């Protein structure tokens, strides 16, 4: 098996598959990357996002678990992983926690001058306040 133990290769394959809309295959490739490198933040975060936002293949409880792993690994200092956790919490129906987490992510994004991410989080916050999860497909 080519690259069986190369998590970076599986990660790059997953990104390509995701961009091509081959979500089930992307999920499998992210899982392969994490099998070789458990807890790897980029793969963990991306897999959590897909599982939180995909209407067909999603799994909100697994998304929350993965996102919490990524947030813990970044010591709650990365607005991207916090954003993913908020999306996962909303997908799981926990809107109060999603709102609180998104507000934390928004503060960090602003402090780190990540204006595009801050704008995206602000839009998602409006959805959580309205009791809506983020579904991309």
């Amino acid at each position: 098996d080519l690259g069986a133990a190369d998590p970076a290769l599986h990660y790059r394959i997953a990104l390509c598959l995701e961009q091509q809309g081959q979500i089930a295959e992307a999920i499998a490739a992210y899982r392969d990357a994490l099998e070789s490198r458990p807890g790897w933040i980029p793969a963990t975060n991306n897999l959590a996002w897909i599982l939180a936002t995909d209407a067909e293949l999603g799994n909100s409880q697994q998304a929350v678990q993965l996102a919490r792993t990524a947030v813990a690994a970044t010591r709650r200092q990365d607005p991207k992983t916090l954003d993913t956790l908020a999306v996962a919490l909303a997908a799981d129906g926990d809107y109060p926690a999603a709102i609180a987490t998104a507000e934390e992510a928004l503060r960090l994004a602003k402090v780190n001058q990540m204006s595009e991410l801050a704008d995206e989080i602000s839009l998602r916050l409006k959805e959580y306040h309205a009791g809506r999860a983020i579904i991309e497909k």
Side-chain angles (χ1 to χ4, degrees):
D1 182 17
L2 272 177
D6 185 356
L9 176 61
H10 290 293
Y11 178 76
R12 288 191 301 277
I13 290 169
L15 288 174
C16 290
L17 290 166
E18 191 176 351
Q19 287 175 338
Q20 294 171 0
Q22 297 177 10
I23 304 304
E25 294 84 354
I27 289 171
Y30 282 127
R31 290 191 193 284
D32 287 343
L34 289 170
E35 194 173 301
S36 300
R37 190 171 170 188
W40 187 26
I41 296 165
T44 301
N45 193 64
N46 288 9
L47 180 56
W49 184 276
I50 290 173
L51 293 175
T53 62
D54 190 279
E56 291 176 28
L57 302 170
N59 179 328
S60 62
Q61 292 173 339
Q62 205 172 76
V64 169
Q65 183 180 16
L66 286 163
R68 283 191 171 133
T69 298
V71 165
T74 59
R75 295 182 173 88
R76 298 190 85 86
Q77 297 302 306
D78 176 34
K80 290 179 185 174
T81 58
L82 284 163
D83 181 32
T84 299
L85 177 57
V87 169
L89 289 164
D92 205 39
D94 190 348
Y95 292 101
I99 290 166
T101 304
E103 288 172 347
E104 184 180 354
L106 182 58
R107 280 191 301 276
L108 273 173
K110 287 178 177 178
V111 165
N112 291 303
Q113 300 178 337
M114 301 166 84
S115 58
E116 189 176 321
L117 179 61
D119 291 345
E120 292 170 7
I121 294 168
S122 293
L123 291 173
R124 286 191 270 277
L125 252 171
K126 291 177 184 171
E127 296 298 309
Y128 309 149
H129 279 289
R132 290 189 297 263
I134 307 301
I135 301 299
E136 294 188 334
K137 180 183 166 197

